[in-house]
Coordinates of all heavy atoms in Angstrom, one line a residue:
F1 N 1.1 -8.8 5.9 CA 0.8 -9.6 4.7 C 1.4 -11.0 4.8 O 2.6 -11.2 4.8 CB 1.3 -8.9 3.4 CG 0.7 -7.7 3.0 CD1 1.0 -6.5 3.6 CD2 -0.3 -7.7 2.0 CE1 0.4 -5.3 3.3 CE2 -0.9 -6.5 1.6 CZ -0.6 -5.4 2.2
Y2 N 0.5 -12.0 5.0 CA 0.9 -13.4 5.1 C 2.1 -13.6 6.1 O 3.0 -14.3 5.8 CB 1.3 -13.9 3.7 CG 0.3 -13.6 2.6 CD1 0.5 -12.7 1.6 CD2 -1.0 -14.3 2.7 CE1 -0.5 -12.4 0.7 CE2 -1.9 -14.1 1.7 CZ -1.7 -13.1 0.7 OH -2.7 -12.8 -0.2
G3 N 1.9 -13.1 7.2 CA 2.9 -13.3 8.3 C 4.1 -12.3 8.2 O 5.0 -12.4 9.0
R4 N 4.1 -11.4 7.3 CA 5.3 -10.5 7.1 C 4.7 -9.1 7.1 O 3.7 -8.8 6.6 CB 6.0 -10.8 5.8 CG 7.3 -10.0 5.7 CD 8.1 -10.5 4.5 NE 7.4 -10.2 3.3 CZ 7.5 -9.1 2.5 NH1 8.3 -8.1 3.0 NH2 6.9 -9.0 1.4
T5 N 5.5 -8.2 7.8 CA 5.1 -6.8 8.0 C 5.7 -5.9 6.9 O 6.8 -6.0 6.6 CB 5.5 -6.2 9.3 OG1 5.0 -7.0 10.4 CG2 5.1 -4.8 9.5
I6 N 4.8 -5.2 6.2 CA 5.2 -4.2 5.3 C 5.0 -2.8 5.9 O 3.9 -2.6 6.5 CB 4.4 -4.3 3.9 CG1 4.8 -5.7 3.3 CG2 4.7 -3.1 3.0 CD1 4.1 -5.9 2.0
S7 N 6.0 -1.9 5.8 CA 5.9 -0.6 6.5 C 6.1 0.5 5.5 O 6.6 0.4 4.4 CB 7.0 -0.5 7.5 OG 6.9 -1.6 8.5
D8 N 5.6 1.7 5.9 CA 5.8 3.0 5.2 C 6.7 3.8 6.1 O 6.8 3.6 7.4 CB 4.5 3.7 4.9 CG 3.7 3.0 3.8 OD1 4.4 2.4 2.9 OD2 2.5 3.2 3.7
S9 N 7.2 4.9 5.6 CA 8.0 5.8 6.4 C 7.2 6.5 7.4 O 7.6 6.8 8.5 CB 8.8 6.8 5.5 OG 7.8 7.5 4.7
R10 N 5.9 6.6 7.1 CA 4.9 7.2 8.1 C 3.5 6.8 7.7 O 3.3 6.3 6.6 CB 5.0 8.7 8.2 CG 4.6 9.4 7.0 CD 4.9 11.0 7.1 NE 4.4 11.7 6.0 CZ 3.2 12.2 5.8 NH1 2.3 11.9 6.7 NH2 2.9 12.9 4.7
G11 N 2.6 6.9 8.6 CA 1.2 6.5 8.3 C 0.5 7.5 7.4 O 0.6 8.7 7.6
H12 N -0.4 7.0 6.5 CA -1.2 7.9 5.7 C -2.7 7.7 5.8 O -3.4 8.4 5.2 CB -0.8 7.7 4.2 CG 0.7 8.0 3.9 ND1 1.2 9.3 3.9 CD2 1.7 7.2 3.7 CE1 2.5 9.2 3.6 NE2 2.9 8.0 3.5
G13 N -3.0 6.6 6.5 CA -4.5 6.3 6.7 C -5.1 5.9 5.4 O -4.5 5.3 4.5
K14 N -6.4 6.3 5.2 CA -7.1 6.0 4.0 C -6.9 7.0 2.9 O -7.2 8.2 3.1 CB -8.6 5.9 4.3 CG -9.0 4.7 5.2 CD -10.5 4.6 5.5 CE -10.8 3.4 6.3 NZ -12.3 3.2 6.6
I15 N -6.4 6.6 1.8 CA -6.0 7.5 0.7 C -6.4 6.9 -0.6 O -6.6 5.7 -0.7 CB -4.5 7.9 0.7 CG1 -3.7 6.6 0.7 CG2 -4.1 8.7 1.9 CD1 -2.2 6.8 0.5
S16 N -6.4 7.8 -1.7 CA -6.8 7.2 -3.0 C -5.6 6.5 -3.6 O -4.5 6.7 -3.1 CB -7.2 8.4 -3.9 OG -6.0 9.2 -4.2
A17 N -5.9 5.7 -4.6 CA -4.8 5.0 -5.3 C -3.8 5.9 -5.9 O -2.6 5.7 -5.8 CB -5.4 4.1 -6.3
A18 N -4.3 7.1 -6.4 CA -3.4 8.1 -7.0 C -2.4 8.6 -5.9 O -1.3 8.8 -6.1 CB -4.2 9.2 -7.7
R19 N -3.0 8.9 -4.8 CA -2.3 9.5 -3.7 C -1.3 8.5 -3.1 O -0.2 8.9 -2.7 CB -3.2 10.0 -2.6 CG -2.6 10.7 -1.4 CD -1.8 12.0 -1.9 NE -1.1 12.7 -0.8 CZ -0.2 13.6 -1.0 NH1 0.1 14.0 -2.2 NH2 0.3 14.2 0.1
A20 N -1.6 7.2 -3.2 CA -0.7 6.2 -2.7 C 0.6 6.2 -3.5 O 1.7 6.0 -2.9 CB -1.4 4.8 -2.8
L21 N 0.5 6.5 -4.8 CA 1.7 6.5 -5.6 C 2.4 7.8 -5.4 O 3.7 7.8 -5.3 CB 1.4 6.4 -7.1 CG 2.5 6.3 -8.1 CD1 3.4 5.1 -7.7 CD2 2.1 6.2 -9.5
E22 N 1.7 8.9 -5.2 CA 2.3 10.2 -5.0 C 3.2 10.2 -3.7 O 4.3 10.7 -3.7 CB 1.2 11.3 -4.8 CG 0.5 11.7 -6.1 CD -0.6 12.6 -5.8 OE1 -0.7 13.2 -4.8 OE2 -1.5 12.7 -6.7
V23 N 2.7 9.6 -2.6 CA 3.5 9.5 -1.4 C 4.3 8.3 -1.3 O 4.9 8.0 -0.3 CB 2.5 9.6 -0.2 CG1 1.8 10.9 -0.2 CG2 1.6 8.4 -0.1
S24 N 4.2 7.4 -2.4 CA 5.1 6.2 -2.4 C 4.8 5.3 -1.3 O 5.7 4.8 -0.6 CB 6.6 6.5 -2.5 OG 7.3 5.4 -2.9
S25 N 3.5 4.9 -1.1 CA 3.1 4.1 0.0 C 3.3 2.6 -0.4 O 2.7 2.1 -1.3 CB 1.7 4.3 0.4 OG 1.2 3.3 1.3
N26 N 4.2 1.9 0.3 CA 4.4 0.5 0.1 C 3.2 -0.3 0.4 O 2.8 -1.2 -0.3 CB 5.5 0.0 1.0 CG 6.9 0.6 0.7 OD1 7.1 1.0 -0.4 ND2 7.8 0.6 1.7
I27 N 2.5 0.1 1.5 CA 1.3 -0.6 2.0 C 0.2 -0.4 0.9 O -0.6 -1.3 0.6 CB 0.9 -0.1 3.3 CG1 1.9 -0.4 4.4 CG2 -0.5 -0.7 3.7 CD1 1.7 0.2 5.7
G28 N 0.1 0.8 0.4 CA -1.0 1.2 -0.6 C -0.9 0.3 -1.8 O -1.8 -0.3 -2.2
L29 N 0.3 0.3 -2.4 CA 0.5 -0.5 -3.6 C 0.4 -2.0 -3.4 O -0.2 -2.8 -4.2 CB 1.8 -0.2 -4.3 CG 1.8 1.0 -5.3 CD1 0.9 0.7 -6.5 CD2 1.3 2.3 -4.7
A30 N 1.0 -2.5 -2.2 CA 0.9 -3.9 -1.9 C -0.6 -4.3 -1.7 O -1.0 -5.4 -2.2 CB 1.7 -4.2 -0.6
T31 N -1.4 -3.5 -1.1 CA -2.8 -3.8 -0.9 C -3.6 -3.9 -2.2 O -4.3 -4.8 -2.4 CB -3.4 -2.7 0.1 OG1 -2.7 -2.7 1.3 CG2 -4.9 -3.0 0.3
I32 N -3.3 -2.9 -3.1 CA -4.0 -2.8 -4.3 C -3.7 -4.1 -5.2 O -4.6 -4.7 -5.7 CB -3.6 -1.6 -5.2 CG1 -4.1 -0.3 -4.5 CG2 -4.0 -1.7 -6.6 CD1 -3.6 1.0 -5.1
I33 N -2.4 -4.5 -5.2 CA -2.1 -5.7 -6.0 C -2.5 -6.9 -5.4 O -3.0 -7.8 -6.1 CB -0.5 -5.6 -6.3 CG1 -0.1 -4.4 -7.1 CG2 -0.1 -6.9 -7.1 CD1 -0.9 -4.2 -8.4
D34 N -2.4 -7.1 -4.1 CA -2.7 -8.3 -3.4 C -4.3 -8.5 -3.4 O -4.7 -9.6 -3.6 CB -2.2 -8.3 -2.0 CG -2.4 -9.6 -1.3 OD1 -1.8 -10.6 -1.7 OD2 -3.1 -9.7 -0.3
D35 N -5.0 -7.5 -3.2 CA -6.5 -7.6 -3.2 C -7.0 -8.0 -4.5 O -8.0 -8.7 -4.6 CB -7.1 -6.2 -2.8 CG -7.0 -5.9 -1.3 OD1 -6.5 -6.8 -0.6 OD2 -7.3 -4.8 -0.9
N36 N -6.4 -7.5 -5.6 CA -7.0 -7.8 -6.9 C -6.3 -8.9 -7.8 O -6.9 -9.2 -8.8 CB -6.9 -6.4 -7.7 CG -7.8 -5.4 -7.1 OD1 -9.0 -5.4 -7.3 ND2 -7.1 -4.4 -6.4
Y37 N -5.1 -9.4 -7.3 CA -4.5 -10.3 -8.1 C -4.1 -11.6 -7.3 O -3.5 -12.5 -7.9 CB -3.2 -9.8 -8.8 CG -3.5 -8.7 -9.8 CD1 -3.4 -7.3 -9.5 CD2 -3.8 -9.0 -11.1 CE1 -3.6 -6.4 -10.4 CE2 -4.1 -8.0 -12.0 CZ -4.0 -6.7 -11.7 OH -4.2 -5.8 -12.6
A38 N -4.3 -11.6 -6.0 CA -3.9 -12.8 -5.2 C -4.4 -14.1 -5.7 O -3.7 -15.1 -5.7 CB -4.3 -12.5 -3.7

């Protein structure tokens, strides 16, 4: 993201927004917020 790497404890691939919160995906939530509010 803008020259900086955001990581998860492990890869989850393509998942729903609900599942992103369940597994606490940093990438998932960062993507949701950046895509819609940047």
Side-chain angles (χ1 to χ4, degrees):
F1 287 81
Y2 308 110
R4 187 169 65 88
T5 301
I6 294 179
S7 303
D8 286 337
S9 58
R10 65 184 183 88
H12 299 286
K14 293 182 179 181
I15 54 177
S16 68
R19 185 61 181 164
L21 186 59
E22 290 172 16
V23 299
S24 197
S25 171
N26 297 334
I27 298 171
L29 269 297
T31 300
I32 290 170
I33 299 305
D34 189 63
D35 285 353
N36 294 285
Y37 295 99

